[in-house]
Amino acid sequence: MKKVFLLGGLFVLVLVACSKKDDAPPYDAKAQYSIDSAKIEAYVAANSIQNVKHDSAGIFYQIVNRGDTRDTANRAAYVTVAYIGSFLDKQVFEKNDSLPIGLNQVIYGWTVGVPKIGRGGEINLFLPSIYAYGPQGSGKIPGNTVIIFNIKLKTFTNR
């Protein structure tokens, strides 16, 4: 009988030791968006960046060059872009001179932002974390991180 109690106690102890206690507050997307938006607005002001617009979808953007806007990419277009991704401290985390990809396969900020320019155009996207890599982050990008992309649209095919 002592063995049963001993094994039972050991089992309970193992369960308690292995249980994960999550004291983190639940993720609040609205609150994080407000924090991120304030960071972007401060960055834009501190760096005297002109003509930054705040889209109704929630992204901030600056069109550097509209490109040929007679025909623009839609949100499902297959595009080839050159881009540089950086943090607010201007540290580059990624760049590519020729990335072919579908706009339905990328972060939401790109899906909304890239169609704002035409072939040959260039845009700067200032993305709140919810429109980038969210609370989970990705690779070198920590969760809840505002990021900036400079994107040049080389070519596209609408689908």
Side-chain angles (χ1 to χ4, degrees):
M1 187 70 167
K2 285 183 180 180
K3 286 184 181 181
V4 172
F5 281 117
L6 185 59
L7 286 175
L10 186 59
F11 180 72
V12 170
L13 183 61
V14 168
L15 283 178
V16 170
C18 291
S19 69
K20 181 180 176 188
K21 186 173 181 183
D22 190 5
D23 291 333
Y27 177 70
D28 184 342
K30 234 180 190 178
Q32 188 63 47
Y33 179 80
S34 293
I35 292 166
D36 292 348
S37 294
K39 287 179 182 179
I40 291 168
E41 289 167 357
Y43 176 86
V44 166
N47 291 281
S48 302
I49 302 171
Q50 301 296 310
N51 302 317
V52 174
K53 295 186 174 21
H54 189 188
D55 182 279
S56 62
I59 67 167
F60 294 78
Y61 67 96
Q62 175 198 43
I63 295 178
V64 177
N65 174 5
R66 288 202 174 283
D68 182 357
T69 57
R70 290 177 287 175
D71 185 26
T72 57
N74 62 34
R75 290 184 177 197
Y78 191 78
V79 300
T80 299
V81 298
Y83 72 92
I84 298 172
S86 61
F87 300 115
L88 290 178
D89 67 1
K90 300 182 182 173
Q91 177 187 353
V92 173
F93 61 82
E94 188 174 276
K95 65 181 180 175
N96 193 315
D97 290 330
S98 187
L99 174 70
I101 196 160
L103 287 180
N104 58 356
Q105 300 171 312
V106 294
I107 59 175
Y108 182 73
W110 278 40
T111 304
V112 171
V114 173
K116 295 183 179 302
I117 56 175
R119 186 175 280 109
E122 180 178 356
I123 191 167
N124 290 320
L125 301 176
F126 305 89
L127 301 179
S129 60
I130 194 167
Y131 298 126
Y133 298 99
Q136 71 281 355
S138 178
K140 299 176 192 173
I141 304 164
N144 297 323
T145 300
V146 171
I147 56 175
I148 302 168
F149 281 102
N150 170 267
I151 301 172
K152 295 175 185 164
L153 179 57
K154 293 179 167 192
T155 64
F156 67 89
T157 304
N158 282 326
R159 297 191 235 180

